[in-house]
Amino acid sequence: MTDRSRRRDALRGGLVIAVATGLMNAATYGFTLIGARRLGPTGYGAFAAMLGLVIVVNVVSLGLQATGARRVAAAPGDRGVIEARVMAVSVRCGIALAVVCLAASPLVARVLSLDSWLTAALLAVPAFCFSVMGGQAGILQGEGRWLPLAAVFVSLGVARIVIGSVAISVSATPFSATLGGIAVAAVVPLAVGAVALRRTAVAGTPTTPATPATGRTHSRVLREVVLSAHALFAFFALSTVDVVVARVVLDEHEAGLYAAGLILSKAVLFLPQFVIVIAFPAMARHGADHRLHLWGLGVVLAVGGVVSLVAAALPGVAVVFVGGRAYAEVAGSLWAFAAVGTVLAAVQLLVYSALARRHQRSIGLLWVALVAISAGSLLVHTGTGLLTLVCVVDLALLTALVVITRRDDVTQRDRFDGLDTRAAEPVAQL
């Protein structure tokens, strides 16, 4: 493909994924808003903690997606072989993660003060479904099949708001919200992804039959999944640690108010998600422009900055979007929650940039930031204090990541300028 063709396809794909992720995030946001209104601060605080755990568990799915997308983009060979390897590992990871979630459910229920351990046990369903879906999405993303990938994203959001709303209307409890909006809804995108891959295989160009993968090839895929999942786990643990900490160090009412503010943070975090979806395969290709992440960073900061300014100028309007008058106490701080979401979105882009280029040394900073927030939370006793702590730590992290990414870019550019023959190594390691 020519550069012009790639730019045209990237623009078309960007529009499709932007619309799809926008619909998915809008539907997910709508469901959290319905949950906040129907459950009240106390009940929503428990449900928000479960949503935070779903995000953390989902890092395995994102690791599988990143692995599948990178492998297809870096060495686009026989799709059947790549699909067989990635999907086999995805199913195994899903089963293992579901078992772990079931075993840990009594402990989770006790730590988060849930009404029943069955609520925590429901986490096993999305753990399996999202893992398999991650492999499916990675294949579609790596090949640039934006329409089927968009269908997977949209189906997740629609299923969550439709099924979740019905469940909450039947019984306004954290268990019911988790059952409908998290567990049952997770099955829908899994089915859509399976159909998308099957239809694409029938309609696409013929490929040779997938050869059975050896244990060595599976171990290579699994090793990359582990590395990617580790990086994404560190990020999502960082982005959700405050809602869990709030549940522990604040009273139930204030924890619920803090969780409501985080609705806006998460909305801003996932609003520019289309930038990562489109840019990641491009960043993974050999010879990719090292400035891609800078362009993406500019888009992310611009989107989040606009939301933060609007929240600061119109706090009364902003509070409507996090639950309404019951959460009026947090209205004055919503701009800061939006700013936290903006910084986290920028950090997420830099994490994916590191995964695309196989740079791992910056991941340790995520754990440092996580420890800083966890330890610092022991010294705060109000939602405002916790929010201030999170803002300071996240800004320091973003600054450090920008510096390290810049240094890695210079080092990699010098390496390839001096030794072009190493360009084939990533392909050989697949």
Side-chain angles (χ1 to χ4, degrees), residues 375-381:
S377 66
L378 299 177
L379 304 177
V380 300
H381 305 286

Side-chain angles (χ1 to χ4, degrees), residues 384-408:
T384 301
L386 180 59
L387 181 59
T388 301
L389 171 67
V390 172
C391 285
V392 172
V393 173
D394 287 350
L395 279 173
L397 171 63
L398 177 60
T399 302
L401 286 177
V402 169
V403 172
I404 289 180
T405 301
R406 174 60 181 167
R407 290 179 179 175
D408 286 342

Side-chain angles (χ1 to χ4, degrees), residues 61 64 87 90-91 94 124-137 140 148-149 151-157 159 182-198:
S61 172
L64 288 161
M87 293 310 302
S90 298
V91 172
V125 178
F128 173 79
C129 293
F130 288 163
S131 294
V132 179
M133 187 191 76
Q136 297 168 339
L140 296 172
L149 182 60
V152 173
F153 290 158
V154 172
S155 67
L156 173 59
I182 295 178
V184 178
V187 179
V188 177
L190 174 64
V192 172
V195 172
L197 286 180
R198 185 160 53 249

Side-chain angles (χ1 to χ4, degrees), residues 259-391:
L262 287 178
I263 293 177
L264 189 58
S265 292
K266 295 301 181 288
V268 177
L269 169 59
F270 293 111
L271 191 60
Q273 192 73 21
F274 68 94
V275 177
I276 294 175
V277 175
I278 298 299
F280 182 75
M283 290 188 294
R285 296 188 186 100
H286 169 61
D289 189 346
H290 294 288
R291 296 171 298 178
L292 276 173
H293 71 279
L294 295 179
W295 289 102
L297 204 60
V299 175
V300 168
L301 293 177
V303 171
V306 170
V307 177
S308 300
L309 289 175
V310 172
L314 302 171
V317 175
V319 78
V320 174
F321 294 93
V322 300
R325 288 180 296 178
Y327 302 90
E329 295 173 63
V330 79
S333 301
L334 289 179
W335 68 270
F337 281 102
V340 168
T342 302
V343 174
L344 287 175
V347 169
Q348 185 181 28
L349 177 66
L350 294 179
V351 169
Y352 271 95
S353 175
L355 292 179
R357 302 172 189 183
R358 311 302 296 274
H359 296 160
Q360 293 288 332
R361 71 188 188 118
S362 60
I363 306 304
L365 291 176
L366 300 177
W367 290 113
V368 173
L370 175 64
V371 171
I373 292 176
S374 300
S377 66
L378 299 177
L379 304 177
V380 300
H381 305 286
T382 65
T384 301
L386 180 59
L387 181 59
T388 301
L389 171 67
V390 172
C391 285

Side-chain angles (χ1 to χ4, degrees), residues 63-76 82 86 137-139 141-143 220-221 224-225 228 280-286 352 354-359 425-427 429-430:
L64 288 161
Q65 180 177 345
T67 298
R70 193 204 67 80
R71 285 176 169 265
V72 172
I82 296 174
V86 173
I139 295 168
Q141 181 184 0
E143 290 287 352
R220 287 174 176 173
V221 176
E224 184 174 347
V225 170
S228 298
F280 182 75
M283 290 188 294
R285 296 188 186 100
H286 169 61
Y352 271 95
L355 292 179
R357 302 172 189 183
R358 311 302 296 274
H359 296 160
E425 286 186 6
V427 176
Q429 293 174 358
L430 291 176

Side-chain angles (χ1 to χ4, degrees), residues 220-276:
R220 287 174 176 173
V221 176
L222 182 59
R223 183 167 59 251
E224 184 174 347
V225 170
V226 170
L227 291 174
S228 298
H230 163 254
L232 295 171
F233 176 80
F235 170 75
F236 283 107
L238 172 67
S239 66
T240 58
V241 64
D242 53 341
V243 71
V244 177
V245 166
R247 186 73 180 171
V248 175
V249 302
L250 305 178
D251 62 64
E252 291 186 349
H253 178 73
E254 192 162 9
L257 293 175
Y258 192 92
L262 287 178
I263 293 177
L264 189 58
S265 292
K266 295 301 181 288
V268 177
L269 169 59
F270 293 111
L271 191 60
Q273 192 73 21
F274 68 94
V275 177
I276 294 175

